């Protein structure tokens, strides 16, 4: 690691908005700072110690699905390097580490026998966090469904929800005394939309609106998993993580109707049932695609609507909706489904964009928190931003430090916007924002984009596996240290 203190983070930006110390002074006393990762993106060791294949192993092995034909076989090799990676997290001085358990590592078939060697890995990982003063936040399902379950229908089948709850119960039995926060599912929207509707993520189905059962069964898995975790007596808080993207119509009336549908598909289909116990009503012109959801058993919605200790939000970008199928984004495999969508995400010419081409708008982080308050009011539990971050091309090196200043600006401005939003008179006044997790610790396997999108605070050399903290790592460390209180686990 280069000598950290040689790096000095930039002061206030041109408009005088923030400095590390200024931002730190605004962080509430009991606010959690953390970093997040997910198993499939960092672990590698896909065939080791009895792990079973996941839908992502299978998808990545298909030709043309992953940018540049990249393979997830090694990724960051975190499976073998986890102690050093935990040292990196601890070195940040943050409070908490969000990671996911690979379901096929602990239950290779997704049902039946447990794989003790898989559980041992996470056992050591959790103890490694605790011994470093890091509070564990576990995600149970971050997209790596055991392949055997997919062969039986995956999330199109109700059975998968029941199996997920069995797995949740077992994880709860094993770690219930040591884990502070449980996230049942990460972004069910991404799995349903990218995985089952468009086919640009695993399992690569192209069902368009016929993917609705994958929405419902994931939500059912969430509700059943909350019940299962509580039934085995976990002592930590239990919640879920949804992605949210505030939606705007691009221009005319057709865009407006499509924007309403997009808002349902991206946001409300997942938040309404979890927080209010009902699916949102589609606009009259679009009832047919949502019909499946109006026929699900009423008691499922009771199950889905569990009281939660927190609500996790991943925010990356706002969505601008234009009617008609759009251009296929870079790094996305061309599927026939994507060419048949009734609308697409249009550019925001007024905003700069990330390496992925995602529009950068910290203001929309505030808009989104305000939207949650308006829509869910007292039904909204305390909120964690469970992912916030951006990909940028390889940073320039100078004085032994990788200067990813664009990432620092992104992170600082988004945290600032979130903290602003909850102030008295702010759009999200009354929302109890409990913490913020940076996506992500280190450059990793970014799903269909392979290794082409670098989101890390730490640079990963995918040839040598060497980790090198970037300037943003030292920025976050300064922020964590400059807070009003010593960094203790919350
Ligand atoms: C989120 C995913 C996470 C990562 C970031 C960039 O949607 O939860 O795994 O891919 O996007």
């Amino acid at each position: 690691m280069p000598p950290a203190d040689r790096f000095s983070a930039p002061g206030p930006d041109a408009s005088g908005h923030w400095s590390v110390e200024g931002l730190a002074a605004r962080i509430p006393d009991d606010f959690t700072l953390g970093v997040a990762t997910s198993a499939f993106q960092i672990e590698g060791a896909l065939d080791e110690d009895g792990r079973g294949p996941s839908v992502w192993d299978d998808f990545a092995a298909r030709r043309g699905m992953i940018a540049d034909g990249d393979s997830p076989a090694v990724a960051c090799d975190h499976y073998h390097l986890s102690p050093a990676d935990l040292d990196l997290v601890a070195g940040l001085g943050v409070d908490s580490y969000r990671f996911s358990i690979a379901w096929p590592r602990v239950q290779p078939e997704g049902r039946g026998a447990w794989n003790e060697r898989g559980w041992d890995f996470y056992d050591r990982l959790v103890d490694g966090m605790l011994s470093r003063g890091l509070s564990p936040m576990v995600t149970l399902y971050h997209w790596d469904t055991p392949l055997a379950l997919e062969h039986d229908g995956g999330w199109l089948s109700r059975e998968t929800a029941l199996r997920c709850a069995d797995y949740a119960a077992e994880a709860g039995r094993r770690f219930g005394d040591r884990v502070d926060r449980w996230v049942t599912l990460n972004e069910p929207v991404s799995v349903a939309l990218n995985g089952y509707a468009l086919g640009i993520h695993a399992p690569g189905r192209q069902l368009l609106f016929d993917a609705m059962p994958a929405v419902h069964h994931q939500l059912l898995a969430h509700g059943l998993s909350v019940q299962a975790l509580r039934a085995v007596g976990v002592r930590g808080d239990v919640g879920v993580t949804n992605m949210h993207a505030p939606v705007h119509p691009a221009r005319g009336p057709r865009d407006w109707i499509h924007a309403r549908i997009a808002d349902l598909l991206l946001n409300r289909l997942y938040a309404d049932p979890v927080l209010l116990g009902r699916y949102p009503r589609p606009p009259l012109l679009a009832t047919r695609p949502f019909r499946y959801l109006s026929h699900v058993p009423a008691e499922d919605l009771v199950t889905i609507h569990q009281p939660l200790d927190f609500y996790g939000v991943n925010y990356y970008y706002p969505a601008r909706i234009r009617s008609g199928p759009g251009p296929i984004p870079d790094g996305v495999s061309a599927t026939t489904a994507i060419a048949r969508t009734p609308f697409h995400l249009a550019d925001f010419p007024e905003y700069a964009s990330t390496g992925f081409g995602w529009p950068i708008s910290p203001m929309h982080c505030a808009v989104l928190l305000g939207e949650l308050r308006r829509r869910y009011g007292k039904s909204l539990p305390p909120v964690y931003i469970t992912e916030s971050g951006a990909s940028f091309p390889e940073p320039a090196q100078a004085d032994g430090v990788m200067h990813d200043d664009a990432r620092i600006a992104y992170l600082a401005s988004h945290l600032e916007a979130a903290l602003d939003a909850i102030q008295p008179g702010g759009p999200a006044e009354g929302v109890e924002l409990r913490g913020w997790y940076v996506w992500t610790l280190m450059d990793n396997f970014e799903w269909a984009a392979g290794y082409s999108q670098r989101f890390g605070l730490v640079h990963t050399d995918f040839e040598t596996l060497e980790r090198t903290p970037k300037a943003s790592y030292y920025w976050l460390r300064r922020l964590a240290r400059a807070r009003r209180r010593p960094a203790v686990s919350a």
Side-chain angles (χ1 to χ4, degrees):
M1 193 183 291
D5 296 326
R6 270 170 47 205
F7 167 70
S8 78
D13 69 5
S15 50
H17 265 308
W18 53 269
S19 67
V20 177
E21 286 71 24
L23 191 54
R26 303 179 54 187
I27 297 178
D29 286 354
D30 47 2
F31 192 85
T32 297
L33 281 185
V35 292
T37 62
S38 89
F40 193 79
Q41 295 180 269
I42 61 172
E43 285 181 1
L46 302 183
D47 299 322
E48 247 169 273
D49 292 342
R51 178 187 178 277
S54 80
V55 288
W56 269 96
D57 303 38
D58 178 66
F59 184 76
R62 288 186 224 158
R63 246 181 113 80
M65 290 306 176
I66 309 294
D68 306 323
D70 285 343
S71 156
V74 177
C76 304
D77 202 24
H78 172 75
Y79 190 71
H80 297 114
L81 300 174
S82 60
D85 290 339
L86 288 182
D87 286 344
L88 281 168
V89 182
L92 281 164
V94 294
D95 313 306
S96 177
Y97 177 50
R98 175 177 177 232
F99 71 105
S100 79
I101 299 178
W103 182 358
R105 202 179 279 293
V106 299
Q107 194 180 34
E109 300 282 316
R111 57 164 70 83
W114 304 112
N115 177 30
E116 290 306 324
R117 286 176 297 169
W119 285 118
D120 286 349
F121 172 70
Y122 298 108
D123 209 58
R124 290 193 301 274
L125 200 65
V126 169
D127 284 348
M129 282 170 230
L130 296 177
S131 69
R132 288 168 177 82
L134 293 165
S135 157
M137 177 188 261
V138 174
T139 309
L140 288 171
Y141 176 72
H142 200 127
W143 306 358
D144 43 2
T145 315
L147 186 59
L149 292 184
E150 192 59 40
H151 289 152
D152 293 337
W155 289 114
L156 299 175
S157 158
R158 191 177 177 87
E159 173 76 12
T160 300
L162 309 182
R163 299 291 69 81
C164 186
D166 290 349
Y167 152 58
E170 186 64 15
R173 272 184 217 108
R174 290 176 185 249
F175 302 130
D177 55 338
R178 286 173 284 167
V179 161
D180 294 323
R181 298 173 194 110
W182 296 86
V183 174
T184 53
L185 312 181
N186 177 72
E187 296 189 1
V189 62
S190 301
V191 173
L193 203 60
N194 294 333
Y196 286 86
L198 301 176
I200 56 177
H201 275 188
R205 306 292 303 270
Q206 300 185 41
L207 302 171
L208 291 174
F209 284 101
D210 291 336
M212 286 297 173
V215 174
H216 184 66
H217 295 138
Q218 286 188 87
L219 291 170
L220 188 60
H222 157 72
L224 292 170
S225 298
V226 174
Q227 289 177 334
L229 288 168
R230 294 206 169 120
V232 300
V234 300
R235 66 155 184 76
D237 288 346
V238 179
V240 66
T241 281
N242 278 328
M243 188 204 79
H244 280 270
V247 169
H248 296 279
R251 246 193 340 250
R254 272 172 63 75
D255 295 342
W256 186 82
I257 280 283
H258 280 137
R260 284 197 56 201
I261 299 172
D263 186 27
L264 255 62
L265 291 173
L266 294 174
N267 301 303
R268 294 190 49 198
L269 224 43
Y270 302 88
D272 285 20
V274 162
L275 299 174
L276 304 175
R278 56 172 185 261
Y279 282 113
R281 270 221 251 132
L284 277 179
L285 292 175
T287 47
R288 206 179 58 80
F290 294 87
R291 196 169 295 150
Y292 171 87
L293 298 175
S294 55
H295 291 114
V296 298
E299 56 277 19
D300 283 4
L301 282 149
V302 178
T303 305
I304 292 168
H305 184 209
Q306 293 299 307
L308 296 181
D309 300 310
F310 67 88
Y311 185 71
V313 173
N314 293 351
Y315 169 71
Y316 287 96
Y317 49 77
R320 186 153 178 262
I321 302 300
R322 175 167 291 143
S323 296
I328 313 273
D330 278 354
V332 160
S333 54
T335 66
T336 48
I338 210 166
R340 284 189 289 131
T341 54
F343 53 81
H344 64 278
L345 294 184
D347 289 343
F348 274 97
E350 62 272 46
Y351 299 138
S353 47
T354 71
F356 237 146
W358 295 350
I360 301 177
S361 174
M363 175 192 77
H364 278 93
C365 185
V367 168
L368 142 66
L369 292 170
E371 217 162 71
L372 289 177
R373 185 194 77 149
R374 247 194 2 267
R375 288 180 175 174
Y376 305 109
K378 294 214 174 322
S379 304
L380 182 69
V383 170
Y384 287 93
I385 295 181
T386 39
E387 287 180 25
S388 172
S391 66
F392 292 105
E394 288 266 42
Q397 285 231 30
D399 308 328
V401 175
M402 295 190 171
H403 286 277
D404 60 340
D405 295 355
R407 175 167 296 101
I408 296 175
Y410 183 101
L411 294 174
S413 58
H414 282 69
L415 177 58
E416 184 195 42
L419 293 173
D420 266 356
I422 57 172
Q423 295 307 310
E429 178 181 0
V431 170
E432 193 182 329
L433 184 64
R434 289 226 181 127
W436 181 70
Y437 288 76
V438 172
W439 184 270
T440 180
L441 174 64
M442 58 195 157
D443 298 336
N444 60 34
F445 182 79
E446 177 46 40
W447 309 111
Y451 300 107
S452 69
Q453 298 300 322
R454 294 178 172 272
F455 277 86
L457 297 166
V458 174
H459 179 271
T460 309
D461 181 323
F462 292 106
E463 298 290 316
T464 63
L465 297 174
E466 190 186 351
R467 279 91 157 122
T468 309
K470 305 176 193 174
S472 57
Y473 177 95
Y474 299 118
W475 170 82
L476 183 59
R477 168 146 106 176
R478 277 185 58 183
L479 184 75
R481 284 183 179 165
R483 288 178 293 173
R484 275 173 294 189
R485 50 145 193 182
V488 286
S489 59

